[in-house]
Amino acid sequence: MGLLMDRRAGSDKVIKFLLRWERSLCFLFYILGIIWLLLLALPTFNDNTYFSENALLPGLVTKESNLEQTSKQYYHELIHEMKRYPDTMPYAWLAAKLNQLQLDVYIHNFSLIHPFQEQKFTGQNIYGIIRAPRAASTEAIIVSVPFRPVNSIYLDTAPSVALLLAFAKFCRKQKYWAKDIVFVITEHEQLGIQAWLDAYHGVTSGNGVLISGDLAGRAGSIQAAINLELHSMKVSSIDVKVQGLNGQLPNLDLFNLAQNMIAKGGIRHSFQKRFDVKYKDKFKNWWYHFNTLIMMIATQATGIPTGNHGLFHRFGIEAITLEGFEKPGQQNSYENFYQVGRIVESIIRSLNNLLERFHQSYFFYLLPSTDTYISIGLYIKSLVLIIAGVFIKAFSMWQRLTAEVSTSAENKKSTTTKQSKNDGFDIGTITSEILWAHIFGVVIVSSPSALTYIGRQTWNLRTEDSIYFGFAAITILTLILPLYPRRRIKYKNAALVCVIASVELATVLMCIAMHNFSLALVAAIVYVPAILPITPKEKSDGKCRTILSFFWILLHPFVISNLLVMCYTYINFSTDPFLSILFRGYHATKQSYVFSIMDSMIYGNWFYNVTVSTILPIWLLFWNILCSNSVMHT
């Protein structure tokens, strides 16, 4: 009976095994996680894409449009207007063209109050609505284009606007639409579509610096959106973009629909600007698909949308971007624009067949090619294996601590001396250590405004310089403070802080993975192998401790972000002189900090917030452990 009541019965052997092989098991799980990630690109781990939503009926759509000549006419007229207004969108011309098509046309005004420069920027969106003749305007489909003026640093989208107008003219004559079709032309890239979506749904995203304004007209509940970024009237290939804000992805059925219709239209289709290539050599085939997979993971981890479609996902709207690239040669040929128009028609007509919102297919997936996918049930295991080592480390340290406390208590009971208060945990010290680290992280999250103000008022610095040098000063402060004076902390307290920090990191990574798997995976691959060997020591253990501290400094969020941007700069400008690369990387790093903070304030991208409020405090806790001399008694 006693055996049945003993909770530890049968588990002692497991605990002893974990305690004996703790470090080996931790690194074994990490290596297994990496191996599992490598195996994901193998055909065995990939499933062929298919349609879960039969109501789309993509194979039964009869294409009727011929948008070639109409698009060509609109394109030449638009180019003429753009030359007249090289800095702005030709609002009057666009509104007039949509009005000629007898659409319900509206102009949407929005503004942005820059949080650092105290300046106000304004913009306008133009949209027209075709009301569904066979329904009561309860549902809608969006066709959007980001307008880019002549002097824009981005690739031209004038062909997209021309195709949108031509397609709107075609749609206006059809009577089979069961959903409203809204044609949106936005200004200022993602700012315009974010303001339009906020106004459409009556919400405020971010910190309220983007004033969305009001919409004079609305359609039904938006079911799906197609964003067009055609850069030429001679399109040779179309790349389908899916990554959205904070790593969100559209329903896999929508991606499959686009790829299927593009292939049927006779135009090459790609993902991550990579075409499907089948090598006879199995290793080359795996390596090619693995590179595509890694590119998706790297892009998704940033949380930055790859196009205007990425801002629809937060509203439960499935959206993708079709980016068309120029066809070399045939300078006066517009023939394939006929095919592009039919591709857009077939996608919109398939969406028109939907009886309900997308729900049957996957929302969590990875793509090694255009026609295969990896489900969450497979790829999540790589992250679980990597994080398992952190839990094993924390559990093993906790078992040792509880055993030491129990032994100490039993020894004191067997003697007549009074038990010392120093034999247990100092809860006040432990709580203070953890609390102050996280308070520090929260303060840094809200520091950019203060840093900008101080830099501008004191040294007349620009926003990017104020933030960069402010973060650099904070980094130096976090590195120096634990060193002077040399901290001495009781071993049991330091060990418990290590346990809590390890559990917190593993838990945070799993929570992040539920929304943005790629970000959690990248963070785990970088931080887990460095955390596993960190433990409080009675005395500094020489060179090993010094090397570990050096690598841990390199993993400081500020330091590693500088290194990553420098590496990215070197890859893209490897032929430049070394000093030029350093200069480019330095400026790119400063700008990346400002963009990351602005994305957080305007769109609600939580990459900056998560990094500073969770990863930085955890880094600081482990740095305190590395810099402290632990003692058995105080």
Side-chain angles (χ1 to χ4, degrees), residues 203-344:
V203 300
T204 300
S205 301
N207 291 356
V209 297
L210 180 62
I211 303 173
S212 59
D214 298 318
L215 294 184
R218 285 180 173 81
S221 174
I222 303 174
Q223 305 294 298
I226 304 297
N227 183 59
L228 302 177
E229 291 185 11
L230 307 175
H231 306 309
S232 171
M233 296 293 286
K234 306 180 292 294
V235 176
S236 62
S237 64
I238 296 178
D239 189 70
V240 182
K241 297 180 179 180
V242 295
Q243 289 94 329
L245 182 68
N246 294 325
Q248 285 185 274
L249 299 172
N251 189 277
L252 187 57
D253 271 342
L254 182 57
F255 175 80
N256 296 339
L257 172 65
Q259 295 287 6
N260 186 278
M261 293 298 99
I262 295 170
K264 285 187 175 181
I267 294 181
R268 298 186 70 187
H269 55 108
S270 63
F271 174 67
Q272 295 292 145
K273 299 180 182 178
R274 293 168 64 86
F275 304 103
D276 288 348
V277 178
K278 303 296 182 182
Y279 291 101
K280 294 182 179 180
D281 186 282
K282 292 184 178 179
F283 177 79
K284 286 185 177 180
N285 199 52
W286 166 82
W287 180 247
Y288 187 84
H289 289 90
F290 180 72
N291 281 331
T292 306
L293 178 65
I294 291 300
M295 289 179 66
M296 178 181 182
I297 291 175
T299 305
Q300 188 183 23
T302 64
I304 301 173
T306 52
N308 282 6
H309 71 279
L311 299 173
F312 284 86
H313 300 156
R314 69 189 309 168
F315 298 97
I317 302 168
E318 310 311 317
I320 57 172
T321 288
L322 304 181
E323 184 174 17
F325 294 95
E326 184 173 0
K327 185 175 183 178
Q330 301 179 1
Q331 297 299 319
N332 297 318
S333 174
Y334 297 92
E335 294 176 0
N336 65 337
F337 226 65
Y338 164 83
Q339 298 167 281
V340 176
R342 291 211 156 188
I343 289 170
V344 174

Side-chain angles (χ1 to χ4, degrees), residues 282-492:
K282 292 184 178 179
F283 177 79
K284 286 185 177 180
N285 199 52
W286 166 82
W287 180 247
Y288 187 84
H289 289 90
F290 180 72
N291 281 331
T292 306
L293 178 65
I294 291 300
M295 289 179 66
M296 178 181 182
I297 291 175
T299 305
Q300 188 183 23
T302 64
I304 301 173
T306 52
N308 282 6
H309 71 279
L311 299 173
F312 284 86
H313 300 156
R314 69 189 309 168
F315 298 97
I317 302 168
E318 310 311 317
I320 57 172
T321 288
L322 304 181
E323 184 174 17
F325 294 95
E326 184 173 0
K327 185 175 183 178
Q330 301 179 1
Q331 297 299 319
N332 297 318
S333 174
Y334 297 92
E335 294 176 0
N336 65 337
F337 226 65
Y338 164 83
Q339 298 167 281
V340 176
R342 291 211 156 188
I343 289 170
V344 174
E345 178 201 357
S346 59
I347 293 175
I348 299 301
R349 290 190 62 180
S350 296
L351 295 174
N352 187 60
N353 295 334
L354 274 178
L355 302 176
E356 53 191 342
R357 288 184 177 273
F358 285 100
H359 67 283
Q360 295 194 50
S361 192
Y362 292 92
F363 290 91
F364 300 95
Y365 51 87
L366 294 176
L367 298 168
S369 67
T370 63
D371 57 359
T372 59
Y373 73 98
I374 306 166
S375 69
I376 186 174
L378 284 175
Y379 67 70
I380 196 67
K381 294 177 183 178
S382 60
L383 180 63
V384 171
L385 286 169
I386 293 173
I387 293 177
V390 182
F391 280 117
I392 290 174
K393 174 192 174 180
F395 177 77
S396 301
M397 290 188 67
W398 174 249
Q399 287 296 322
R400 293 190 183 96
L401 283 174
T402 53
E404 290 177 10
V405 172
S406 300
T407 303
S408 177
E410 290 175 1
N411 292 337
K412 290 299 180 181
K413 286 181 181 180
S414 64
T415 63
T416 57
T417 58
K418 187 176 180 181
Q419 184 175 352
S420 172
K421 293 182 180 179
N422 293 327
D423 293 331
F425 298 114
D426 188 344
I427 302 301
T429 301
I430 296 169
T431 304
S432 176
E433 188 93 1
I434 296 171
L435 183 61
W436 280 111
H438 287 82
I439 290 176
F440 179 77
V442 172
V443 170
I444 302 305
V445 168
S446 55
S447 66
S449 297
L451 293 175
T452 302
Y453 178 80
I454 294 171
R456 184 172 61 248
Q457 296 296 326
T458 308
W459 296 286
N460 196 28
L461 296 176
R462 295 180 299 176
T463 298
E464 58 185 32
D465 292 322
S466 299
I467 292 176
Y468 182 84
F469 293 128
F471 282 174
I474 292 170
T475 301
I476 295 172
L477 193 66
T478 58
L479 294 175
I480 292 177
L481 280 182
L483 296 174
Y484 300 100
R486 192 73 174 179
R487 288 160 41 97
R488 294 178 67 83
I489 184 173
K490 191 166 66 173
Y491 173 80
K492 293 177 182 178

